[in-house]
Amino acid sequence: MDLWVSRLIAGEEKGVFAHLNECKRKALSEGKDLIDLSVGSPNRSPADFIVERLIEESRRPDSYRYPFVSAELKESIAAWYLERFGVELDPAEEVEVLWGTQEGIAHLPLAVMDFGDACLVPDPAYPIYLFAPKLVGARIHRYPLREENGFLPDLSSIPEEVLRQARVMIVNYPNNPLAVLAPRKLFEDLVELASRWRILVVHDAAYTELVFDGKRADSFLSVPGAKEVGVEFNSFSKTFNMAGMRIGFVVGNRQAVKAISQLKSNIDYGIFMPIQMAAMEALKNPKRDEFIASVRETYRRRRDVLVEGLSSYGWRVRKPEATMFVWAKVPEGFSSVEFSCFCLERAGVVVTPGNAFGEMGEGYVRMALVEEEERLLEASRRIGESLKALR
C-alpha cells in the first residue's frame, strides 16, 4: 500500500470512467472529431437574469468576505417547494444549501451514519451513491432496477435482515442513468417501509423539471409522512444551467438536515455570496417558469432528434420520459464496454457503458443530450453508418 494513500482510495478500482477518459484522450491526440455524450454537463448558459445578478453581486466589495448561507436563499427555496410541490418547509430547520447535490450526498453518510450501518443503494446508480457510504465504512446492499419492472425497485424482495440493519436508502427519480419517472405509489410505499424499519430515505431529485410529454415529477416529500423519514436533494445545475456554479440544496427531515448543517459548519464557510444571490434570482425572477420551460423543450427536442435518428438506422432506442439522458440497450453481440469502444473508435461518439453504474447496467449505454441538435443528428448518423457497415 502506498504510504500517503488511504485504504479506501487504494481499494477503489480505476473504473470505467477513467478508462473512457484515457480512450478519449488518445482519440483527441490523433486529431479525431469527437462528439462527447458521456457527461451530463449542460452546454448552454443560465438565463440572462441569473448571469446579470451574479455580475452585479460580484461587484459588491462585501461579497468577498466569508459568505456563510443566506437566510433569504433558504426562504426562496422553501417558497419554491411550496409553490411547485405543495411541500411546506421551515427555512431555518428544514433547508440547507450545498456545494452542489453531489457534495451533499458525498457528505451525508458522515452526518447520519455510523461504521457498520447498512445502506441500500440502487443498481444501476449514479456512482457517488456507492462511494459515499464507504466513507463511514457502511455495508452496502444493492437493490436491482430491472427493465421488466419499469426500472423501479421491488421493495418486497429486500430481505428483512437487511432492512433491520439499514440506516439509509438512496432513491433517485427522475432517474440518472435510467431516464424514468417514479409513480407516486412508489413514494407512498417507501414512506411505509421507512417508517416500519426506521430507515432514512435519501431522494435525489435533481431532474424534477426535466420531464417531457406533459408528464410531471412529484417530490418524495409531498407524500404524507415523508418528512418524518426522508430528505430530498435538488439542484440548480440542470434546471437552470448552473452546473459550473456548484450550488444545490437538501430539504426535509429536520434532524437529518441539522446533522448535515452541523457537519458543513466544520468543513466550509458557505458558498460565494454572488452565486447564492444568483440562485435566489433563479427562483424568484418573474421569467423563471418561462426559462425552465425553454430548458425542458431544448432537451425534449434533442431527445427526439437522437432517438429518431438512431431508430432510422434500425437501432430501436427507448424514448426517455425525463432527464437529459438516453438509456439504450446495446445492439446484439456487444457488451456495454465493447459497444462504447465501438462508438468511440468507429464513429467518434463517446457514450458511457452501462456497467459504469453497476452490474445491472450491463447490456446498456447512457448518452447525454449535451450537444446541439445538429451534432446529435450527426452522432446518430455516425453510429448508424458504423452499425450498417457490420451487416
Side-chain angles (χ1 to χ4, degrees):
M1 178 178 170
D2 292 332
L3 182 61
W4 307 122
V5 179
S6 71
R7 291 186 178 89
L8 172 65
I9 297 301
E12 286 295 301
E13 295 181 6
K14 193 169 187 180
V16 178
F17 285 108
H19 175 69
L20 195 62
N21 283 331
E22 287 177 4
C23 292
K24 283 196 290 186
R25 281 194 294 270
K26 182 175 182 294
L28 289 169
S29 71
E30 294 169 354
K32 289 185 179 178
D33 171 33
L34 296 185
I35 301 176
D36 192 348
L37 309 182
S38 65
V39 180
S41 180
N43 69 319
R44 291 191 178 182
S45 62
D48 288 345
F49 58 81
I50 297 172
V51 176
E52 288 164 5
R53 183 66 183 271
L54 177 68
I55 293 170
E56 176 189 333
E57 296 291 334
S58 296
R59 290 195 174 109
R60 293 172 55 105
D62 59 355
S63 290
Y64 297 88
R65 300 170 179 170
Y66 286 137
F68 300 103
V69 173
S70 164
E72 194 177 356
L73 175 56
K74 286 186 173 186
E75 291 166 3
S76 299
I77 291 167
W80 183 65
Y81 249 68
L82 180 60
E83 178 185 348
R84 169 65 177 84
F85 301 111
V87 174
E88 293 188 14
L89 296 167
D90 178 345
E93 302 287 336
E94 297 174 338
V95 179
E96 185 54 83
V97 179
L98 309 166
W99 288 82
T101 298
Q102 179 153 318
E103 175 266 317
I105 293 172
H107 282 141
L108 173 86
L110 295 170
V112 303
M113 299 184 74
D114 291 313
F115 182 86
D117 286 341
C119 183
L120 301 170
V121 178
D123 184 1
Y126 189 57
I128 193 64
Y129 304 162
L130 194 62
F131 182 75
K134 295 179 182 179
L135 294 173
V136 294
R139 290 176 294 110
I140 295 169
H141 177 85
R142 302 207 70 171
Y143 62 89
L145 303 178
R146 296 187 170 92
E147 186 166 8
E148 57 266 31
N149 197 42
F151 294 117
L152 301 174
D154 178 4
L155 300 181
S156 65
S157 70
I158 302 173
E160 283 198 8
E161 181 182 351
V162 172
L163 292 170
R164 196 174 293 113
Q165 298 170 352
R167 179 76 69 92
V168 166
M169 180 174 187
I170 300 176
V171 183
N172 166 220
Y173 292 97
N175 187 282
N176 171 21
L178 304 174
V180 295
L181 290 166
R184 187 172 179 82
K185 178 68 163 57
L186 173 63
F187 292 160
E188 292 169 347
D189 291 346
L190 283 168
V191 170
E192 183 179 343
L193 182 83
S195 300
R196 179 183 176 190
W197 296 102
R198 299 174 63 83
I199 296 170
L200 180 72
V201 175
V202 175
H203 184 228
D204 183 359
Y207 296 93
T208 56
E209 306 315 297
L210 301 187
V211 180
F212 313 123
D213 306 322
K215 297 176 181 177
R216 190 173 172 89
D218 274 336
S219 164
F220 169 72
L221 297 179
S222 67
V223 173
K227 273 204 297 184
E228 281 67 59
V229 295
V231 293
E232 188 161 80
F233 287 84
N234 214 314
S235 172
F236 292 88
S237 296
K238 308 308 191 296
T239 304
F240 296 104
N241 292 342
M242 294 171 63
M245 295 191 199
R246 307 312 305 136
I247 184 165
F249 55 91
V250 60
V251 295
N253 182 273
R254 64 179 57 212
Q255 186 178 28
V257 170
K258 182 179 180 180
I260 295 168
S261 299
Q262 188 171 343
L263 175 70
K264 286 182 64 62
S265 73
N266 286 280
I267 292 174
D268 65 63
Y269 290 102
I271 298 163
F272 186 43
M273 190 56 71
I275 291 177
Q276 294 191 57
M277 293 298 99
M280 189 175 70
E281 187 68 32
L283 293 175
K284 297 179 72 172
N285 192 282
K287 295 181 180 179
R288 177 198 67 194
D289 292 346
E290 179 186 342
F291 179 73
I292 293 174
S294 72
V295 173
R296 183 185 304 120
E297 178 61 12
T298 294
Y299 287 117
R300 198 274 308 164
R301 290 197 309 267
R302 292 178 179 183
R303 174 201 68 171
D304 291 351
V305 165
L306 183 61
V307 170
E308 291 167 13
L310 293 170
S311 296
S312 71
Y313 282 92
W315 184 20
R316 303 297 177 187
V317 174
R318 179 180 59 86
K319 190 172 280 192
E321 297 178 290
T323 77
M324 60 195 300
F325 304 106
V326 172
W327 182 251
K329 273 188 176 180
V330 302
E332 190 175 347
F334 289 96
S335 70
S336 291
V337 170
E338 286 169 347
F339 188 65
S340 297
C341 291
F342 172 84
C343 288
L344 178 59
E345 294 166 4
R346 298 284 292 273
V349 179
V350 190
V351 302
T352 304
N355 62 332
F357 304 98
E359 290 181 11
M360 295 303 298
E362 177 53 55
Y364 297 85
V365 292
R366 190 194 74 173
M367 294 173 278
L369 302 169
V370 292
E371 294 281 355
E372 299 300 329
E373 291 173 43
E374 58 270 20
R375 289 288 277 175
L376 292 172
L377 188 61
E378 172 65 8
S380 68
R381 185 196 67 77
R382 290 185 190 182
I383 295 172
E385 291 291 341
S386 298
L387 288 170
K388 191 176 175 181
L390 294 178
R391 298 183 190 129

